[in-house]
Amino acid sequence: MVAELVRGQNHPLSQVRLEIRVSAGRPVVAAATLGDESGRIHGVEWVAHPGVPTLPGLEVSRQAATDHRLAVDLDAMPAAVHRVDVLLALPPGAGGPVSFGSLSAPFVAVTGLDGAEVASYTITGLDAESAVVALELYRRQGAWKVRAVGQGYAGGLAELLTDQGLAQAHQLAAAIDEAVARGLARSVPAPPSRQSDGDRSRRTATSTLGPDQSGSPYGPQQGGPQQGGAQQGGHSAVDPYGPAQNPQISPGGSPSADPDATQPTTAPPGGPIDYSHPRRQNAAPPPPPPSAPPAPPGQPARPVAGDATGWSMEERLYNQVWGMFEDLARTTAAYRSAVDFADTRMEKELDQVLSDPRSRIGGQGDAAREAAQSRRAQLVDQAREALERDLVQLGAEADVVEPALPAAFARWDNPVWHAYRAPMEMPMALRLGDLHLPESDPLRIPMLVRLPLERGLWIDSGRPGSFDGAFVDAHELRRLAMESAVAHVVRLLAVHPADEFTVHVVDPAGSGARELAPLVQSGVLAAPPATGAAGVAAVLGQLTERVDLVQMAVRGGAADSLPPGFDASQQLLVVNDFPHGFDDRAVTQLRYLADEGPAVGVHLMMVADREDAGGYGPLLDPLWRGLLRLTPVAEDHLADPWVGHAWTYEPALVPPGSQVLQQVLAQVAKARTKYS
C-alpha cells in the first residue's frame, strides 16, 4: 500500500535502489544535497544539480522540466552521508512564474525499480517561495526512511543552501541558474558506445509544422524521449508497458575511485557513465555492444541493439524497446497534430472567403479555394516527410533489435527458441504480442509486460470491435482464443525456472481439449484439466485456501513459517469457457483470486466471451476491468491517453506448421524432471 505522506511524516524504505518522480505542471529545477548526521553539507561537491548531475548513488535531471525522475542507490552512498534532500526550484528567466504559490501543488513520489510507489507527497501550503526542500531520505540506526519536508524559501536556492550550512551557497546557486539557462546536457549520459540522442531519430516530439504553427502541442519546446535513466521533460504514456521503470545510477568519479571515501566525487558533465558499483564489485553490467561504424555526415547514426542504459543487456533491450514505443507515439502524434492544424487552417481560410457573397461564385472564389487546399497539401506533405524519416529510422532500429531479443522478449519465429534451455531466474518482462499504429504499418513494437504479473490476463473470445482479416465466425474465434492462451502459457512456463511456476487448468465442458493437448501430453500441468462443476470447485477452493494462508502468514510476519512441503512457486489458473460450470460461490472465489491473488503469487488467465456472462449484470464489471484484455485477432483496443492513440494489438501466435511449442515444452518437462 502506498504511504501518502503529510508534512513531517516519515515512512521506512525497504528498497535501496529507488526512483524519485516529480510532477510540477510547469518546468522546475530538481537537485539534491548530501548531508552528514547533523544535516550539514560539507561542500559544493555534495550537491547534485543540472551542472553536475551525478554523485555516487545519485543522479538528477540535467535541465528544467515539468516531470523529473531522480535515480537513487542508497547502498552506493558514502559512509559519511546520512541524509539526502530533494530540492525543487523555479528556473530563472523572464516570463515564468516567480513563486510556487502561482503553480499547482508539486507532487513527489518515491518508487521502486518496478514502478510501484512506496510513498508520495503533495507539497501544499506554498506561497511566495521559489525553492523548496521536498523530501529527505535519512539513515537512522542503519535503516533508511523518507520524510515529507515541504520547507520553502522565498530567497530561492541561495537561501535554501545557506540554511543547510553551505558557505558557497550564493555562488553555487548562480552556477545552477547558469547551467539551467544554457540548457547543459539535455539527456542522461549514455554508455560509451551509444550514440548521442542528437544522432538518433529521437526528435519526434519536435513539431512537423511550419514556423507559423507555434500553437501545436508538439512544438520544439519538448525534447525527444529519454530511454532508461532519469527522464527529463518526458511524459510516460499509460500503456501496456507502463513507464520506463529502470533508471540507472551513475556513480561519480573515476573507476579507480575509493568507494568508501567520505568525500563524494563527481563525474564531469557530459562524460561517460562509470557503471561499476561502488560497493558491489561484481554488479557492473557487461559493456554495451560495440558501436556501429559512424554514419556519413548529415545522416542519422546506425542503430545498435542494446543502445540504452541498463545494468544488463536484458534491461538495456527492455529500455530500448520502451524508447521505440515512445518515439513512435510522439512522431505519430506530431503528424496527426500537423494534419489537424492544416485542416483547421484550411477551413478557417475557406470560411473567410465564403463569408463574402461576392467571392462565392466566379474565378475569385475558385482561386481562393485552390490556394487554401494547396497550402493544406503542402503542410501535410511536410508533416508526412518528417514522419516517414522517423519511421525509416525506427524501422532500421527494429531490424537490429528484434534478432537480439532474449527468448522472453522474442517472437516465436526467432531462432533464439531453437537453443532454448530452462532459465535459472525469472526475466524482467514478457512479450505478449505486438503493437502498431495505422501510420506505422508494417513497423511493429513488441508489447512487453513486467514480471511477475501484476494483473490477470483475459483472452477475449467474443466478437471484437474491429480486426484485420476476413470474417471469423464465433467457433473459430473461440479456437483462436484458446490457441493464443496456450501460447501465452507455454511462454510463461518457458521463461520461469523449472520449479518456480505451476499451471492449473479449468475446462468445465472440455471444449478446449484439442488446444490444451500439448500442455497435457508434455506433463507440465499440475494436474489434468479440471472438468465439470466439481472440478471447478476443487481447483478454486485449493487456490483460495492458498491465498488465504499466504496472506495470513505475511500479515502475521511469519512468511517463513509456512507448512512443510508448501509449494512456493508462482501459480497460474487458466479458465476456459467461463461461466460454464461456475455457480455463485465459484464466481465469488474467482473474483477473489483476481483481486487478491497477484500479490501472493496466484495469477489468473481467462478465456471467455463477456456476453456469455451477461446474466450476472454489473456484478462482474470489476472482474473484467481488473484484467488485461487481449484478443486472438488484431484489434485497436489498447488506449494511450497520453497522446490519444488507439494502439492495434496483434497476438504472439506460433507460425503455422511450427513445432516450436512442442520443442520448448519438451525442454521444460525435462528440466522439471531433473529438479523433481
Side-chain angles (χ1 to χ4, degrees):
M1 181 179 296
V2 180
E4 298 181 358
L5 305 180
V6 297
R7 181 172 298 179
Q9 185 179 1
N10 60 40
H11 185 73
L13 296 173
S14 59
Q15 305 177 53
V16 294
R17 292 182 63 191
L18 303 167
E19 184 177 85
I20 299 176
R21 302 185 179 187
V22 178
S23 179
R26 293 290 296 271
V28 297
V29 178
T33 61
L34 306 180
D36 57 18
E37 287 184 295
S38 62
R40 187 173 64 87
I41 305 174
H42 286 196
V44 294
E45 66 274 10
W46 280 40
V47 182
H49 56 82
V52 183
T54 57
L55 295 180
L58 180 64
E59 186 172 37
V60 303
S61 305
R62 291 178 175 267
Q63 66 184 39
T66 57
D67 298 293
H68 292 271
R69 293 183 181 181
L70 285 64
V72 179
D73 189 345
L74 299 175
D75 268 358
M77 292 291 172
V81 173
H82 289 263
R83 193 165 81 179
V84 181
D85 287 344
V86 178
L87 319 179
L88 303 179
L90 296 176
V98 297
S99 68
F100 279 103
S102 59
L103 303 178
S104 57
F107 175 80
V108 186
V110 180
T111 75
L113 293 187
D114 59 355
E117 287 190 8
V118 178
S120 64
Y121 173 42
T122 302
I123 310 173
T124 58
L126 298 178
D127 188 9
E129 297 88 347
S130 58
V132 60
V133 180
L135 294 175
E136 72 172 4
L137 312 179
Y138 64 97
R139 179 158 41 190
R140 183 72 53 82
Q141 297 179 349
W144 284 90
K145 296 183 178 182
V146 58
R147 176 185 290 122
V149 180
Q151 176 64 50
Y153 295 84
L157 277 174
E159 181 182 351
L160 187 157
L161 295 171
T162 300
D163 189 50
Q164 294 196 347
L166 183 62
Q168 308 94 330
H170 289 273
Q171 295 90 326
L172 180 58
I176 295 174
D177 290 345
E178 182 182 356
V180 173
R182 292 199 311 263
L184 291 177
R186 295 187 179 274
S187 64
V188 177
S193 70
R194 179 182 175 180
Q195 294 79 16
S196 65
D197 281 350
D199 294 334
R200 294 167 59 85
S201 64
R202 305 299 195 218
R203 308 186 188 94
T204 54
T206 303
S207 173
T208 58
L209 306 181
D212 60 337
Q213 303 163 39
S214 58
S216 170
Y218 301 95
Q221 70 275 11
Q222 295 178 345
Q226 310 297 327
Q227 295 191 40
Q231 181 175 355
Q232 296 86 23
H235 302 273
S236 298
V238 179
D239 59 77
Y241 286 97
Q245 299 160 350
N246 297 283
Q248 301 312 313
I249 310 300
S250 304
S254 65
S256 60
D258 180 8
D260 294 323
T262 57
Q263 295 293 334
T265 57
T266 61
I273 294 180
D274 175 12
Y275 277 90
S276 59
H277 196 291
R279 298 189 182 183
R280 297 179 192 161
Q281 297 303 321
N282 297 325
S291 299
Q299 297 185 13
R302 299 176 184 177
V304 177
D307 187 19
T309 54
W311 291 100
S312 65
M313 176 57 77
E314 179 189 48
E315 189 172 0
R316 290 200 292 268
L317 287 169
Y318 176 88
N319 285 337
Q320 187 171 12
V321 170
W322 164 249
M324 293 166 60
F325 174 86
E326 277 195 327
D327 288 355
L328 181 55
R330 288 173 182 264
T331 191
T332 305
Y335 170 73
R336 293 180 180 180
S337 176
V339 173
D340 288 343
F341 176 88
D343 291 339
T344 302
R345 195 173 77 168
M346 183 184 69
E347 292 176 1
K348 183 178 180 181
E349 292 175 352
L350 292 177
D351 288 342
Q352 291 175 348
V353 172
L354 297 177
S355 63
D356 186 356
R358 294 172 296 179
S359 62
R360 294 181 183 176
I361 57 176
Q364 182 179 358
D366 293 339
R369 278 189 288 271
E370 291 179 0
Q373 293 169 354
S374 176
R375 283 190 290 270
R376 178 200 178 276
Q378 182 180 2
L379 291 175
V380 172
D381 290 343
Q382 179 184 349
R384 188 70 197 186
E385 180 181 355
L387 173 66
E388 292 293 343
R389 182 181 64 248
D390 292 337
L391 291 180
V392 168
Q393 183 68 6
L394 283 171
E397 186 171 11
D399 289 342
V400 299
V401 168
E402 189 69 48
L405 294 177
F409 299 178
R411 292 196 301 250
W412 284 114
D413 58 358
N414 193 309
V416 71
W417 288 107
H418 297 311
Y420 167 78
R421 293 296 182 271
M424 299 302 295
E425 60 181 12
M426 180 181 67
M428 65 183 299
L430 180 83
R431 185 173 190 159
L432 292 180
D434 294 324
L435 300 172
H436 70 92
L437 294 169
E439 294 87 349
S440 67
D441 197 63
L443 178 63
R444 299 293 188 269
I445 305 296
M447 176 180 169
L448 307 180
V449 296
R450 297 300 298 267
L451 291 178
L453 296 173
E454 297 182 354
R455 57 194 298 199
L457 304 178
W458 166 29
I459 317 300
D460 190 354
S461 60
R463 173 74 53 191
S466 62
F467 59 89
D468 299 330
F471 174 79
V472 183
D473 62 23
H475 295 290
E476 181 68 6
L477 278 174
R478 293 178 186 273
R479 183 189 66 80
L480 291 175
M482 201 60 203
E483 287 185 353
S484 178
V486 169
H488 291 317
V489 171
V490 174
R491 187 181 290 265
L492 283 164
L493 285 166
V495 303
H496 283 82
D499 57 342
E500 294 186 9
F501 200 78
T502 303
V503 179
H504 310 265
V505 176
V506 169
D507 187 18
S511 59
R514 179 179 177 183
E515 290 75 21
L516 290 169
L519 297 175
V520 176
Q521 294 170 2
S522 62
V524 296
L525 298 179
T531 58
V536 171
V539 174
L540 291 177
Q542 173 189 346
L543 293 178
T544 301
E545 291 177 3
R546 176 189 177 89
V547 172
D548 290 338
L549 181 61
V550 176
Q551 281 186 339
M552 287 189 294
V554 171
R555 292 169 182 171
D560 297 332
S561 302
L562 291 168
F566 182 83
D567 182 8
S569 64
Q570 299 278 316
Q571 307 285 312
L572 175 68
L573 172 60
V574 181
V575 177
N576 181 38
D577 209 14
F578 176 82
H580 184 83
F582 282 73
D583 56 19
D584 291 344
R585 176 180 174 81
V587 170
T588 302
Q589 290 176 321
L590 187 69
R591 288 188 55 188
Y592 177 73
L593 292 177
D595 294 339
E596 304 294 336
V600 293
V602 178
H603 310 285
L604 177 63
M605 180 186 295
M606 291 184 59
V607 183
D609 181 357
R610 187 170 182 175
E611 292 184 0
D612 291 344
Y616 288 94
L619 176 67
L620 293 182
D621 286 351
L623 173 65
W624 305 117
R625 287 195 300 264
L627 302 175
L628 174 59
R629 178 176 176 257
L630 305 175
T631 54
V633 293
E635 184 184 358
D636 56 347
H637 68 280
L638 292 176
D640 185 353
W642 174 51
V643 287
H645 297 332
W647 290 84
T648 298
Y649 165 78
E650 292 183 356
L653 297 177
V654 179
S658 173
Q659 297 296 312
V660 63
L661 285 190
Q662 288 76 6
Q663 296 170 6
V664 171
L665 285 172
Q667 291 295 329
V668 171
K670 180 180 178 181
R672 293 191 168 215
T673 302
K674 176 182 177 181
Y675 278 98
S676 62

